[in-house]
């Protein structure tokens, strides 16, 4: 059975055994030689058991002592070497191996330290490369993001701003690092909020809105601002403040338009429904005469048609805006289409003795369009021209080809539109209210918005020019290719008079 001491195969035990045996053998040899000499000389110095025991103990003690000292001198620097090498292997590159006086071990320790130093330098270079790469990633993200980002320190001095912030606040400094925020960004509201947030201890993330005046477009930009504090993980000290600015101008405008739209829809629906409900109650009265009932029924029919027209136009606009409306395009002769609209709706002008003139070029103008949609757009422009013109006025409808566009003009000599109302003329439910001549004229406020949507879904544009008291001119331009057109006989100017049927 092996002893535990010998079973352990560590370098310390092996060296101890080897040195102990190496020191014991010579001592034993000298003791044996002494016994032999003593025996030959007749001396009895070793005949005493006590002396023999003392001699054996001295031999073993001397061997053990020499063995212990020698093994310690050899294994101590090796164990220190192994311990330091283990710590270095675990990533503690700051450790160094103690250089011993022994030539071989000292040289090995020096070479090992030199290797560790090179490894530490390589690791530092790798860390620097990683940091540079991380910095490039952060800069790329900051440049590509649509939100503005401002980074300030605990003293409200700038550390970084991204290009969006530079654009919004017209920052012209080449470098903004370590410059006071108020010297770079000239916005009192933003500066005061950030200063208060930075100087208030234990303040939570803060959200607020600021208004930024855009000098280039002379419009206001609404920015949603969110500030967050960044603390040091170890000390808990304030490190920096990150402020994110998001442009919510469009969202604010949409919310405003939604509110206005709901209000306008409710108003426009309430008026005809109230009229229908009121006259329906009157019809139930037994005292109503036949003539009165007929008059009331006509009013109810008129208001029902008005309500139906409003709902249909609103649904048509919604379908086009949502992309659910499908275009059924086919080759259509624009001249014949306009003639049809003017012919079928001549009573709109005849009621007020309005003179209608239609001018068109000689050739056939065939174009790929949705017939029903464009017909509805032309009808809306023509009916508006008749509705908002006084008696004996003139309406001119012109059809021209300019380069790759078909141009349709509908011009009247009516009441005109004021400069204040002109920018909103294509808004849903907008009604001109600053002109006494048109205040009492009934309308849904959806005709022109529908025309605009129809024209734009065909890839065209609509423009309006108007002068108060002198009339308005609406111009539609549509993409045109003469591949569909065919030459024909001269097409003379056609002029329609309300005195004769169209």
């Amino acid at each position: 059975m092996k002893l535990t001491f010998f079973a352990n195969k560590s370098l310390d035990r092996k060296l101890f055994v080897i040195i102990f045996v190496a020191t014991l053998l010579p001592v034993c040899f000298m003791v044996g030689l002494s016994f032999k000499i003593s025996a030959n000389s007749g001396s009895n110095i070793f005949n005493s058991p006590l002396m023999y025991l003392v001699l054996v103990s001295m031999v073993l003690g001397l061997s053990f002592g020499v063995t212990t000292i020698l093994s310690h001198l050899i294994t101590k620097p090796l164990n220190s070497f192994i311990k330091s090498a283990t710590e270095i292997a675990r990533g503690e590159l700051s450790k160094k191996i103690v250089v011993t006086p022994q030539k071989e071990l000292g040289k090995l320790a020096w070479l090992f330290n030199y290797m560790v130093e090179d490894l530490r330098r390589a690791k530092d270079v790798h860390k620097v490369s990683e940091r540079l790469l991380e910095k490039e990633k952060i800069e790329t993200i900051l440049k590509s993001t649509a939100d503005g980002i401002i980074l300030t320190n605990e003293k409200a001095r700038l550390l970084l701003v991204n290009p969006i912030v530079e654009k919004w606040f017209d920052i012209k400094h080449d470098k903004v690092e370590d410059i006071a925020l108020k010297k770079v960004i000239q916005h009192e509201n933003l500066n005061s909020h950030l200063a208060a947030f930075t100087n208030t201890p234990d303040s939570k993330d803060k959200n607020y809105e600021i208004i930024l005046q855009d000098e280039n477009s002379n419009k206001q930009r609404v920015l949603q601002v969110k500030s967050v504090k960044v603390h040091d993980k170890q000390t808990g000290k304030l490190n920096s403040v990150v402020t994110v600015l998001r442009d919510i101008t469009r969202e604010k405008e949409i919310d405003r338009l939604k509110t206005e739209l709901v209000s306008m829809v409710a108003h426009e629906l309430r008026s005809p429904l109230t009229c229908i409900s009121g006259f329906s109650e009157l019809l139930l009265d037994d005292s109503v005469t036949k003539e009165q009932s007929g008059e009331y029924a006509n009013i109810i029919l008129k208001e029902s048609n008005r309500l139906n027209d409003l709902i249909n136009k609103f649904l048509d606009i919604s379908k086009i805006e949502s992309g659910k409306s499908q275009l059924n395009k086919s080759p259509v002769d624009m001249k014949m289409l306009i003639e049809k609209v003017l012919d079928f709706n001549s009573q709109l002008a005849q009621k007020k003795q309005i003179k209608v003139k239609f001018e068109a070029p000689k050739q056939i103008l065939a174009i790929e369009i949705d017939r029903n949609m464009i017909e509805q757009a032309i009808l809306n422009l023509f009916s508006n021209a008749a509705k908002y013109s006084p008696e004996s006025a003139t309406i001119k409808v012109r059809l021209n080809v300019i380069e790759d566009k078909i141009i349709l003009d509908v011009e009247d000599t009516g009441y005109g539109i004021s400069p204040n109302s002109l920018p909103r003329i294509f808004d849903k439910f907008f009604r001109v209210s600053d002109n006494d001549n048109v205040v009492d004229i009934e309308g849904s406020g959806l005709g022109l918005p529908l025309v605009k949507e129809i024209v734009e879904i065909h890839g065209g544009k609509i423009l309006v020019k108007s002068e108060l008291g002198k009339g308005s001119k609406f111009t539609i331009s549509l993409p045109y290719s003469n591949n569909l057109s065919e030459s024909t006989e001269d097409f003379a100017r056609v002029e329609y008079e309300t005195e004769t049927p169209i």
Side-chain angles (χ1 to χ4, degrees):
M1 184 176 181
K2 292 183 179 180
L3 296 175
T4 307
F5 181 85
F6 296 102
N8 194 320
K9 297 181 180 181
S10 67
L11 181 60
D12 296 353
R13 303 296 171 85
K14 289 180 179 180
L15 285 174
F16 184 86
V17 172
I18 292 172
I19 295 173
F20 184 76
V21 172
T23 56
L24 185 61
L25 287 176
V27 174
C28 291
F29 175 76
M30 293 300 294
V31 171
L33 184 61
S34 299
F35 272 108
K36 187 175 181 181
I37 294 173
S38 177
N40 292 335
S41 63
S43 177
N44 58 356
I45 188 171
F46 295 108
N47 291 337
S48 173
L50 180 61
M51 289 301 295
Y52 181 78
L53 182 61
V54 170
L55 182 61
V56 172
S57 299
M58 289 177 62
V59 170
L60 291 176
L62 180 62
S63 298
F64 184 83
V66 172
T67 302
T68 302
I69 293 171
L70 290 176
S71 63
H72 182 71
L73 290 174
I74 296 173
T75 58
K76 183 179 179 181
L78 287 175
N79 288 334
S80 177
F81 195 111
I82 292 171
K83 182 180 179 182
S84 299
T86 303
E87 292 177 348
I88 291 171
R90 290 174 178 171
E92 298 182 13
L93 299 181
S94 60
K95 296 287 184 180
K96 283 190 176 182
I97 297 173
V98 179
V99 179
T100 61
Q102 291 90 333
K103 185 177 180 180
E104 290 78 7
L105 285 177
K107 188 175 182 179
L108 179 61
W110 182 84
L111 290 173
F112 203 87
N113 287 335
Y114 182 78
M115 180 185 68
V116 172
E117 185 67 25
D118 277 352
L119 184 61
R120 184 167 62 248
R121 282 197 296 264
K123 188 174 182 180
D124 291 340
V125 171
H126 181 65
K127 285 184 177 179
V128 171
S129 299
E130 285 185 341
R131 289 175 181 174
L132 289 174
L133 181 61
E134 194 69 25
K135 183 180 178 181
E136 289 179 0
K137 288 181 180 178
I138 293 173
E139 288 179 350
T140 303
I141 293 172
L142 291 178
K143 288 179 181 179
S144 60
T145 183
D147 295 334
I149 298 176
I150 301 173
L151 183 63
T152 54
N153 62 11
E154 71 280 3
K155 297 180 180 179
R157 298 181 73 85
L158 280 172
L159 299 176
L160 179 146
V161 294
N162 70 338
I164 293 295
V165 173
E166 293 178 356
K167 177 183 176 183
W168 285 346
F169 294 94
D170 194 24
I171 298 176
K172 298 178 181 179
H173 293 69
D174 295 333
K175 293 183 179 180
V176 297
E177 291 84 355
D178 201 28
I179 301 178
L181 177 67
K182 60 183 179 180
K183 291 184 179 180
V184 179
I185 297 179
Q186 307 296 327
H187 196 286
E188 185 177 352
N189 196 8
L190 176 62
N191 293 337
S192 60
H193 274 96
L194 274 178
F197 179 75
T198 304
N199 297 326
T200 304
D202 301 328
S203 57
K204 297 182 179 179
D205 300 350
K206 190 172 183 180
N207 294 298
Y208 52 93
E209 294 178 5
I210 63 173
I211 305 297
L212 185 64
Q213 189 70 31
D214 192 341
E215 296 180 357
N216 296 328
S217 60
N218 200 25
K219 293 182 180 179
Q220 287 187 338
R221 189 188 301 272
V222 183
L223 300 179
Q224 184 185 63
V225 185
K226 182 175 182 179
S227 298
V228 180
K229 288 185 176 180
V230 181
H231 295 87
D232 189 281
K233 291 183 179 180
Q234 296 179 350
T235 63
K237 185 180 177 182
L238 178 62
N239 190 357
S240 58
V241 176
V242 180
T243 303
V244 180
L245 300 92
R246 181 168 173 262
D247 189 351
I248 58 171
T249 308
R250 180 175 174 80
E251 287 84 345
K252 286 288 185 180
E253 182 66 16
I254 290 174
D255 289 341
R256 184 187 67 80
L257 292 176
K258 283 181 178 178
T259 303
E260 289 185 1
L261 181 62
V262 172
S263 176
M264 290 178 180
V265 169
H267 174 74
E268 293 296 332
L269 291 177
R270 186 185 294 114
S271 179
L273 284 175
T274 302
C275 188
I276 292 171
S277 176
F279 282 100
S280 297
E281 290 180 1
L282 290 175
L283 285 175
L284 296 175
D285 191 345
D286 295 335
S287 62
V288 174
T289 63
K290 187 176 181 180
E291 292 181 358
Q292 289 177 326
S293 63
E295 181 182 353
Y296 297 161
N298 286 329
I299 295 174
I300 292 173
L301 178 61
K302 178 183 176 181
E303 293 299 325
S304 299
N305 291 335
R306 176 186 168 193
L307 183 60
N308 184 61
D309 179 65
L310 186 150
I311 293 173
N312 287 336
K313 286 182 178 178
F314 188 74
L315 291 176
D316 289 339
I317 294 173
S318 299
K319 284 181 181 179
I320 295 174
E321 288 180 337
S322 63
K324 295 180 180 180
S325 181
Q326 298 294 326
L327 289 178
N328 298 316
K329 287 187 175 183
S330 61
V332 176
D333 184 355
M334 281 292 291
K335 290 193 297 185
M336 294 185 64
L337 183 63
I338 296 171
E339 289 174 12
K340 174 187 173 184
V341 172
L342 298 178
D343 186 15
F344 288 3
N345 299 278
S346 59
Q347 73 280 359
L348 297 175
Q350 289 176 350
K351 291 179 181 178
K352 301 168 74 172
Q353 290 82 42
I354 293 175
K355 188 177 182 180
V356 180
K357 297 180 179 180
F358 176 41
E359 301 174 3
K362 298 177 181 180
Q363 71 272 20
I364 294 175
L365 299 179
I367 183 174
E368 284 274 352
I369 55 172
D370 186 309
R371 176 190 292 269
N372 293 331
M373 282 190 176
I374 295 298
E375 183 177 340
Q376 189 175 9
I378 297 170
L379 174 58
N380 272 287
L381 293 180
F382 177 65
S383 62
N384 278 353
K387 186 188 299 183
Y388 295 99
S389 293
E391 293 187 0
S392 303
T394 301
I395 297 176
K396 294 180 181 179
V397 181
R398 302 186 191 90
L399 188 63
N400 293 306
V401 177
I402 300 177
E403 296 180 353
D404 59 346
K405 304 287 184 182
I406 278 189
I407 307 299
L408 172 62
D409 294 326
V410 179
E411 184 178 2
D412 63 67
T413 57
Y415 304 118
I417 306 168
S418 67
N420 293 332
S421 300
L422 202 58
R424 297 192 59 193
I425 201 68
F426 294 107
D427 291 350
K428 298 184 191 72
F429 296 106
F430 177 76
R431 300 287 304 280
V432 175
S433 59
D434 56 358
N435 188 342
D436 295 336
N437 294 317
V438 300
V439 169
D440 296 330
I441 299 177
E442 294 182 356
S444 63
L446 292 174
L448 289 178
L450 179 59
V451 173
K452 183 174 180 290
E453 294 294 337
I454 291 174
V455 171
E456 289 182 350
I457 200 176
H458 280 82
K461 294 181 179 180
I462 181 169
L463 301 173
V464 57
K465 292 181 180 180
S466 184
E467 188 175 349
L468 197 61
K470 294 186 178 180
S472 305
K473 177 182 176 182
F474 287 85
T475 301
I476 292 177
S477 64
L478 296 171
Y480 170 69
S481 174
N482 58 7
N483 295 333
L484 297 175
S485 300
E486 298 177 1
S487 59
T488 183
E489 297 180 358
D490 290 350
F491 188 85
R493 175 177 298 177
V494 180
E495 182 172 311
Y496 295 105
E497 304 287 351
T498 56
E499 289 81 9
T500 57
I502 295 180

